[in-house]
Amino acid sequence: KQEVTQIPAALSVPEGENLVLNCSFTDSAIYNLQWFRQDPGKGLTSLLLIQSSQREQTSGRLNASLDKSSGRSTLYIAASQPGDSATYLCAVTTGANSKLTFGKGITLSVRP
Amino acid sequence: NAGVTQTPKFRILKIGQSMTLQCAQDMNHNYMYWYRQDPGMGLKLIYYSVGAGITDKGEVPNGYNVSRSTTEDFPLRLELAAPSQTSVYFCASSSSGGTGELFFGEGSRLTVL
């Protein structure tokens, strides 16, 4: 059974800091990995989608990497801003019916 | 752009009542999903559908039912509501299942008293 772990559960950093959010998964036979952002009381918004054949994806100040063999992904946020404060979840797609397994998320707070 | 629309946004039910959470998407996606999110527990898959007329159970299907008569709609039915079903429910859709980006609705917050 696929398990996805995100540690720590919460993180607080000062504005302007570059930071890395980690995600690990137990079954390396994945189709893809997605990073999502969730604001309080809202749904999830997809930030980056990395296919199993890719090593990384970039969007603006965000860069996500994928190392399937080690079961790890990182989300790099450059020059963090208070507006980046949210919960960040990673999810992997595995199995015959392509179901997603989510981590519990990392709640990020960027202090002005 | 409507995307994935869920109704209602909030609902309070009494134990034993039944209700349907509505989900509609206007992106012509074949794959649709229902998740529940509980504090500190992440998202759990309840049911999913790979196309009209085809549904299957996810990780936590007990106490729920779904139907998929059209590509656009994927309602989730709660029969005999229990306090354990207090949660935030999210509907999501994707164009290509395992390889596609997942789009979420805003969620439906359900409380069972």
Side-chain angles (χ1 to χ4, degrees), chain A residues 32 38 46 51 97-98 104, chain B residues 37 40 48 98-99 101 104 106:
Chain A
N32 62 42
Q38 185 176 28
S46 180
Q51 302 294 351
N97 292 318
S98 302
K104 294 181 181 180
Chain B
Q37 185 178 37
Y48 67 102
T99 59
E101 183 180 353
F104 278 81
E106 293 276 290

Side-chain angles (χ1 to χ4, degrees), chain A residues 7-29:
Chain A
I7 296 173
L11 186 62
S12 180
V13 301
E15 181 176 4
E17 188 164 301
N18 300 326
L19 58 102
V20 173
L21 306 181
N22 294 307
C23 171
S24 62
F25 47 94
T26 56
D27 183 353
S28 62

Side-chain angles (χ1 to χ4, degrees), chain A residues 23-99:
Chain A
C23 171
S24 62
F25 47 94
T26 56
D27 183 353
S28 62
I30 64 171
Y31 293 118
N32 62 42
L33 182 144
Q34 293 186 59
W35 281 93
F36 294 88
R37 169 181 173 141
Q38 185 176 28
D39 292 296
K42 299 293 186 180
L44 282 71
T45 300
S46 180
L47 296 173
L48 290 164
L49 168 65
I50 310 176
Q51 302 294 351
S52 61
S53 59
Q54 298 174 322
R55 295 288 298 214
E56 66 177 343
Q57 282 285 344
T58 298
S59 176
R61 294 183 293 110
L62 305 179
N63 175 274
S65 67
L66 173 63
D67 184 341
K68 268 182 41 176
S69 60
S70 67
R72 294 179 185 275
S73 175
T74 62
L75 178 67
Y76 175 82
I77 303 176
S80 59
Q81 304 170 358
D84 294 329
S85 298
T87 297
Y88 292 81
L89 298 93
C90 71
V92 295
T93 304
T94 51
N97 292 318
S98 302
K99 288 177 284 189

